[in-house]
Amino acid sequence: MSLNLERVLYVSRARGNADSLLMQVDILATSQRNNARDDITGALLIHDGRFLQVLEGAARDLDRLMARLVGDPRHDEVTVIERTPIAGRSFSGWAMASLRVTPALEETLRAAVGGAGAPLKTVERMQDAVLAQAA
């Protein structure tokens, strides 16, 4: 375990059509390739023109990734909800899991965007969804 392992939870507004299957496939493929290279794990929810993503990794790798996201033409209004040190990964084994939108996850996204979502609860709901989808 890395001593500087951190988790970032952020939300952003999509530039362009985030609901486009082509955009989603492109984002997921790029994320999976880059995250595997940089030992970053996490999950991504794309819905209603928004991205909600949780990322885990070494602080320096997350710094580089967040800088790329801010400059990514597909993202606007990148807002970090929480960045915190963690003892272990919640998304171990997923370079980038993609979440299907369920009513509970839609509620989670709305709460996170509105500032009403508790970050840890948001991460736990995303983790539960990844595990349910993998089963």
Side-chain angles (χ1 to χ4, degrees), residues 7-83:
R7 179 180 60 231
V8 173
L9 178 65
Y10 82 89
V11 65
S12 66
R13 181 178 302 280
R15 290 184 184 161
N17 183 6
D19 295 322
S20 154
L21 185 56
L22 183 60
M23 179 186 270
Q24 291 180 19
V25 167
D26 181 47
I27 288 172
L28 287 169
T30 301
S31 296
Q32 289 170 344
R33 181 182 64 245
N34 291 342
N35 291 356
R37 176 195 67 212
D38 296 335
D39 195 27
I40 292 174
T41 55
L44 173 66
L45 172 63
I46 303 171
H47 180 65
D48 199 25
R50 295 280 188 171
F51 301 106
L52 176 63
Q53 189 167 30
V54 59
L55 300 163
E56 306 164 329
R60 69 182 182 282
D61 295 326
L62 291 174
D63 289 341
R64 284 194 302 266
L65 175 54
M66 292 308 295
R68 285 193 310 264
L69 286 173
V70 169
D72 189 324
R74 298 170 294 196
H75 292 267
D76 196 16
E77 301 173 24
V78 176
T79 303
V80 174
I81 297 168
E82 180 185 57
R83 183 164 181 170

